[in-house]
Amino acid sequence: MGKSDKAERAKERREKRLQEISLLRTIPYSDHQRWWSAETVAVVTGGNRGIGFEISRQLAAHGVTVILTSRDHSVGLEAAKVFQEGGLNVFCHQLDVLDTLSINEFCDWLKQNYGGLDILINNAAVNFNQGSDNSVEYASQVITTNYYGIKNMIQAMIPLMKHSAHGGRIVNVSSRLGRTNGKRNKLEDANLREKLSNIDTLTEEMIDQTVSTFLQQVQEGTWESGGWPKTFTDYSISKLAVNTYTRLMARIFSERPEGEKIYINCYCPGWVKTAMTGYAGNISAEDGADTAVWLALLPDQAVTGKFFAERREISF
């Protein structure tokens, strides 16, 4: 089978799966599946556009109260207004995931007005490469926003997660480009792959050291011979860090007592038609948002530390 035939087959499988998911989305949750209510609060970072906007819409359509955050408050307010005019419980608050003061202000506001949250969707991210580009000019910004921004939010939200029998839910929007052991676009260093894959010995310091080494090589101009992923290198490494951190936090959260559990997973939305891809994607924002919403609302949530795409578990 030639390359074009394989690509065509893959496209057919993807389109068939997306049709299945579209059908699944039309099936309402039954009363016994709905563990949430209008009192359930979801925070969606970067919810003013693209996938974040659509995740906010779908969660609100299911009856969840959504707080979408945006670095630009006026843009966020406009997005929330669109939802409110449609009768949905969506509100906005300014938030910069890299600004400690902004995060602290948001935490205080969230606690005072809602008593905390039940669901966190870490969606805010940046990417400066498109097509066949592979510049690392903005590598520091990409790593800082996509990885450290998510870490900042998770650590800030842990104390605000409401205790319940259903557990708190965290969903990190990630990418297949960040798979440690993917067939393509993987780390060439087998020892590093092994270190990052061993959940028993994995530490936050190991993940931080990996991204620091990459950024150091970018600064020195030696990154191209560093054995890093070949496609969208800076973005791929940021998402590899997110995926690995998701597994680490799942292990840490597993030690929390019953009634205080937090379940954390990550997922790949696919190549979505949004500003981040220059609208060159092959998946709609509606389909791209689907798995995040599905994970956030799973009725029997014992699933944690996993990686998903199109409502199916995939390997890290």
Side-chain angles (χ1 to χ4, degrees):
M1 188 184 288
K3 260 189 176 180
S4 60
D5 292 330
K6 281 184 178 177
E8 192 59 36
R9 289 283 297 277
K11 182 183 176 186
E12 286 172 8
R13 285 196 302 271
R14 184 178 65 245
E15 287 176 351
K16 185 182 177 186
R17 181 59 184 162
L18 290 175
Q19 286 171 0
E20 290 170 1
I21 288 170
S22 293
L23 181 61
L24 288 170
R25 250 198 327 271
T26 66
I27 303 169
Y29 287 91
S30 63
D31 289 343
H32 79 273
Q33 289 177 313
R34 292 173 64 95
W35 58 267
W36 64 91
S37 69
E39 302 299 310
T40 303
V41 176
V43 171
V44 182
T45 66
N48 54 290
R49 68 176 189 174
I51 296 171
F53 183 89
E54 185 58 31
I55 290 171
S56 299
R57 186 190 70 77
Q58 290 184 30
L59 283 171
H62 283 298
V64 173
T65 294
V66 176
I67 313 299
L68 68 80
T69 73
S70 171
R71 271 184 307 170
D72 185 328
H73 195 216
S74 61
V75 172
L77 285 173
E78 281 301 311
K81 189 178 173 187
V82 170
F83 293 127
Q84 289 164 5
E85 287 172 352
L88 298 176
N89 276 342
V90 180
F91 306 93
C92 168
H93 196 279
Q94 192 279 335
L95 176 66
D96 182 342
V97 297
L98 302 181
D99 183 337
T100 303
L101 182 61
S102 175
I103 292 172
N104 290 341
E105 285 178 356
F106 176 68
C107 287
D108 291 343
W109 175 84
L110 186 65
K111 189 172 184 180
Q112 187 176 341
N113 289 277
Y114 296 94
L117 75 162
D118 304 272
I119 298 166
L120 170 63
I121 310 285
N122 280 312
N123 166 72
V126 294
N127 172 42
F128 295 93
N129 286 310
Q130 291 177 8
S132 58
D133 298 344
N134 195 26
S135 166
V136 292
E137 181 182 353
Y138 301 101
S140 181
Q141 188 178 342
V142 170
I143 299 286
T144 305
T145 304
N146 298 3
Y147 171 52
Y148 288 105
I150 278 183
K151 284 215 303 180
N152 292 346
M153 282 304 294
I154 289 173
Q155 294 305 321
M157 293 297 110
I158 290 171
L160 297 181
M161 278 284 181
K162 296 177 185 175
H163 297 169
S164 76
H166 302 287
R169 316 287 176 97
I170 300 177
V171 180
N172 296 326
V173 181
S174 192
S175 172
R176 286 184 180 92
L177 289 173
R179 291 166 89 169
T180 315
N181 293 294
K183 289 178 185 174
R184 297 171 297 168
N185 208 47
K186 67 181 178 185
L187 292 169
E188 289 177 12
D189 185 336
N191 288 330
L192 181 55
R193 287 204 309 270
E194 172 59 29
K195 268 174 66 175
L196 295 177
S197 299
N198 190 334
I199 190 61
D200 295 324
T201 56
L202 182 67
T203 65
E204 189 172 337
E205 290 71 28
M206 286 180 190
I207 308 170
D208 289 353
Q209 184 57 54
T210 300
V211 299
S212 294
T213 299
F214 167 66
L215 290 175
Q216 181 68 33
Q217 290 182 10
V218 167
Q219 214 168 17
E220 294 168 353
T222 60
W223 67 275
E224 286 179 288
S225 58
W228 305 106
K230 303 294 185 192
T231 305
F232 293 180
T233 303
D234 54 4
Y235 182 80
S236 295
I237 291 169
S238 75
K239 293 304 187 180
L240 181 147
V242 168
N243 292 346
T244 311
Y245 188 69
T246 300
R247 297 181 74 214
L248 173 67
M249 290 311 297
R251 189 188 77 200
I252 292 168
F253 287 152
S254 70
E255 296 167 6
R256 292 172 70 92
E258 290 301 325
E260 297 180 25
K261 294 289 188 189
I262 298 175
Y263 303 105
I264 181 169
N265 295 286
C266 54
Y267 91 104
C268 175
W271 200 237
V272 182
K273 295 173 192 166
T274 62
M276 188 180 281
T277 65
Y279 298 95
N282 52 22
I283 293 172
S284 69
E286 186 178 19
D287 286 331
D290 176 83
T291 298
V293 176
W294 172 72
L295 279 169
L297 299 181
L298 276 177
D300 301 310
Q301 175 72 286
V303 178
T304 193
K306 305 293 186 184
F307 190 17
F308 291 86
E310 296 158 6
R311 296 197 185 194
R312 289 175 173 162
E313 186 181 344
I314 59 176
S315 67
F316 281 97

